[in-house]
C-alpha cells in the first residue's frame, strides 16, 4: 500500500510539474522599468503568447485577464451556472439589440516601424511579426500604410517628385517601400490566417502640386477640382496643419468634397481597382459632425465614399455620442473606422513610458467608447518604435505597443499591446455588437459581441482602484460569476450552442 501511495504521489508531483512547466512556457518575462506596471521582454527564441484560443464546451466559459498588478492575458476557465446569485452588479447580454459588425484591428507599417523591426536579428523579427499576425498572436487583420513619407520617416519624399509630371510618367515607389515595408508586409501576410486589409494614407501631394511649393506647411492643392487626376486613397489629417513643419496637405471639407466628387472618385471608378474603399476625414473626431455633413450631403461625392475615418487625439473634448453617434444616425450607410492612435503624443506626457498601465487603460477606454458608438475597427499607429519613440524626422516622438532594443536584440511588449489584444484577438471580423445592460450604476466599462460562430465575447474594463464583483446573465446559457480586479481589463467568452 505504501509503495502504491508513493508511486501515486510521485506521479502527481510529476504531473503538477508538467502542468506548471507547460503554463510557464507562455508566461510574460516581466521587466519593471520604472513605471506603474511591467513590460514583457521577447527575444529570438522566446516570447509569451496566449496561443490559439479555442473556447470550452457549452456550459463553461473562458476568461483572459490583464492588470496593472502584472497579469497579461492570464487565461482562466469556469462553469456557467444555472441560477444567478441575485446580489450585486449584473451585466445582461441582450442579443436582440444588434448594432455594427467588426471589420478589424491593426497597426501601421510606417518607415520607422519597418526600420525598427529590421534592426533586429532574423529570429527576433519573426517573433515580433508573429506576435501581431500569426494565429498564436493577437489577430491583427488591418495594416495602415503611409503613401510616401510621413513624420515617422527619416526623410521627406513622395512618389512623383518630378515637377510638371501630370501624367505620372516618373511615378515610382521609394526604397523604403521596396526594400523594407513591402517585404515585411509580405512576411506578415504569410503568417496571417486571413487576408490582411491594407489602409493607405497620404500625408502630402508632391511639392510642385501644392500652393506653397513644399511638402510641409499649410499648402493646399494647386488648381481647381476636376482638373487633376489622382491615385490617392485617403488624406491623413487634412485639416490645416497644426504643426507647421510637418508633412501635410491642407484641405477644407468643401475642398475634400469637390476633390472626391470630381477627381478621386471618378479616377478610382475608372481604374482597375474600383472596389477600393474611400474614407473621408482621417482626422480627429472634434471635426465631426460638420466635416461629414459637408462631404456626405453632396450626392456626387457621397456615391464614391464608404466610410468616415477618425483619429483618437483629443477625444475627451468631444463626447462620442455627439460626434460618432450623430454621424451614424445621420448617415448609417457609411461605416466609422478608427485609423490612428498612439500614447505619448501630448507635450505634457511625451514619448515612451516602458510599463505604463495608465496608457493601457487609455487605449481600452477609447476602444470601448468607440465600439459602443458604432465604430467597426480601430487601428494603432506605429507597429514598433525604438526606445526614444522614433525615428521621426520632426522629432515628434511617441509611444508604441512594441518597443525595440536593437542593441540587446529584444523587444518589449507594452501594457497597451495587451489592451489591443483583448479586442483584436477575440473580436473576429463579422462579430456583431449587441446590447449589454447593467442592473445598477457601475464604474465598469464594457462592450459585448456575438461572433460569427454564435459565441459571445464580453470585454470589461475596471479603471477604479477597487475590486468589483459582478455576474453576467446570458439567457441562452445561464449566469457567469466574475471579478474585475482593480485596474484591470478582462475578456470573457463562451459558446451558446
Amino acid at each position: 500500500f505504501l509503495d502504491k501511495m508513493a508511486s501515486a504521489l510521485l506521479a502527481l508531483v510529476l504531473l503538477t510539474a508538467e502542468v506548471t512547466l507547460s503554463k510557464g512556457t507562455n508566461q510574460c518575462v516581466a521587466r519593471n522599468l520604472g513605471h506603474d506596471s511591467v513590460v514583457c521582454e521577447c527575444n529570438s527564441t522566446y516570447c509569451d503568447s496566449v496561443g490559439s484560443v479555442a473556447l470550452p464546451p457549452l456550459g463553461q466559459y473562458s476568461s483572459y485577464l490583464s492588470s496593472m498588478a502584472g497579469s497579461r492575458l492570464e487565461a482562466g476557465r469556469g462553469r456557467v451556472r444555472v441560477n444567478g446569485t441575485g446580489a450585486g452588479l449584473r451585466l445582461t447580454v441582450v442579443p436582440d439589440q444588434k448594432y455594427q459588425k467588426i471589420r478589424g484591428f491593426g497597426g501601421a507599417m510606417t518607415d520607422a516601424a519597418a526600420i525598427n523591426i529590421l534592426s533586429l536579428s532574423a529570429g527576433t523579427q519573426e517573433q515580433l511579426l508573429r506576435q501581431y499576425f500569426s494565429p498564436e498572436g493577437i489577430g491583427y487583420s488591418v495594416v495602415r500604410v503611409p503613401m510616401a513619407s510621413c513624420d515617422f520617416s527619416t526623410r521627406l519624399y513622395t512618389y512623383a517628385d518630378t515637377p510638371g509630371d501630370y501624367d505620372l510618367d516618373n511615378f515610382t515607389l521609394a526604397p523604403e517601400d521596396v526594400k523594407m515595408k513591402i517585404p515585411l508586409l509580405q512576411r506578415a501576410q504569410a503568417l496571417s490566417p486571413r487576408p490582411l486589409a491594407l489602409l493607405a494614407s497620404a500625408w502630402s501631394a508632391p511639392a510642385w502640386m501644392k500652393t506653397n511649393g513644399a511638402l510641409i506647411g499649410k499648402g493646399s492643392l494647386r488648381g481647381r477640382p476636376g482638373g487633376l487626376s489622382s491615385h490617392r486613397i485617403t488624406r491623413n489629417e487634412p485639416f490645416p496643419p497644426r504643426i507647421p513643419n510637418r508633412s501635410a496637405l491642407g484641405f477644407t471639407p468643401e475642398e475634400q468634397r469637390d476633390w472626391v466628387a470630381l477627381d478621386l472618385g471618378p479616377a478610382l471608378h475608372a481604374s482597375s481597382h474600383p472596389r477600393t474603399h474611400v474614407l473621408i476625414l482621417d482626422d480627429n473626431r472634434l471635426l465631426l459632425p460638420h466635416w461629414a455633413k459637408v462631404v456626405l450631403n453632396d450626392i456626387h461625392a457621397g456615391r464614391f465614399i464608404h466610410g468616415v475615418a477618425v483619429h483618437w487625439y483629443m477625444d475627451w473634448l468631444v463626447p462620442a455620442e455627439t460626434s460618432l453617434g450623430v454621424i451614424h444616425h445621420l448617415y448609417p450607410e457609411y461605416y466609422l473606422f478608427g485609423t490612428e492612435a498612439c500614447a505619448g503624443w501630448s507635450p505634457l506626457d511625451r514619448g515612451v513610458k516602458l510599463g505604463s498601465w495608465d496608457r493601457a487603460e487609455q487605449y481600452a477606454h477609447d476602444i470601448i467608447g468607440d465600439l459602443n458608438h458604432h465604430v467597426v475597427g480601430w487601428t494603432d499607429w506605429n507597429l514598433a518604435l525604438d526606445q526614444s519613440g522614433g525615428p521621426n524626422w520632426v522629432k515628434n516622438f511617441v509611444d508604441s505597443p512594441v518597443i525595440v532594443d536593437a542593441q540587446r536584440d529584444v523587444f518589449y511588449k507594452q501594457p497597451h499591446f495587451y489592451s489591443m489584444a483583448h479586442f483584436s484577438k477575440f473580436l473576429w471580423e463579422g462579430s456583431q455588437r449587441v446590447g449589454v445592460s447593467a442592473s445598477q450604476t457601475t464604474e465598469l466599462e464594457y462592450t459585448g459581441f456575438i461572433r460569427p460562430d454564435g459565441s459571445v465575447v464580453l470585454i470589461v474594463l475596471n479603471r477604479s482602484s477597487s475590486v468589483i464583483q459582478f455576474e453576467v446573465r446570458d439567457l441562452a446559457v445561464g449566469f457567469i460569476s466574475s471579478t474585475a480586479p482593480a485596474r484591470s481589463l478582462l475578456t470573457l467568452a463562451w459558446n451558446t450552442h
Side-chain angles (χ1 to χ4, degrees), residues 178-246:
V178 177
K179 295 181 179 179
M180 298 193 306
K181 291 188 288 188
I182 292 175
L184 284 171
L185 288 170
Q186 291 171 332
R187 289 168 62 184
Q189 181 60 81
L191 292 169
S192 175
R194 65 185 67 83
L196 297 176
L198 300 184
L199 174 62
S201 295
W203 264 245
S204 177
W208 57 272
M209 292 185 183
K210 294 175 61 180
T211 54
N212 68 342
L215 294 181
I216 63 175
K218 297 184 178 181
S220 57
L221 282 176
R222 292 179 182 272
R224 294 181 178 180
L228 176 71
S229 59
S230 176
H231 63 285
R232 299 216 182 322
I233 307 303
T234 67
R235 269 289 306 113
N236 175 74
E237 296 183 352
F239 196 63
R242 291 171 290 280
I243 301 179
N245 65 340
R246 186 181 297 181

Side-chain angles (χ1 to χ4, degrees), residues 397-456:
F397 302 123
V398 300
D399 210 337
S400 172
V402 167
I403 297 297
V404 166
D405 183 346
Q407 188 172 7
R408 294 185 59 225
D409 193 34
V410 301
F411 61 91
Y412 303 116
K413 294 195 297 184
Q414 290 271 51
H416 59 288
F417 173 92
Y418 296 90
S419 285
M420 292 296 299
H422 276 270
F423 301 90
S424 62
K425 179 75 174 176
F426 302 99
L427 298 183
W428 307 336
E429 182 178 359
S431 298
Q432 185 166 29
R433 184 169 68 90
V434 295
V436 181
S437 65
S439 61
Q440 62 188 49
T441 301
T442 176
E443 292 187 81
L444 295 184
E445 301 167 47
Y446 47 85
T447 190
F449 286 80
I450 295 180
R451 301 197 292 194
D453 66 353
S455 59
V456 180

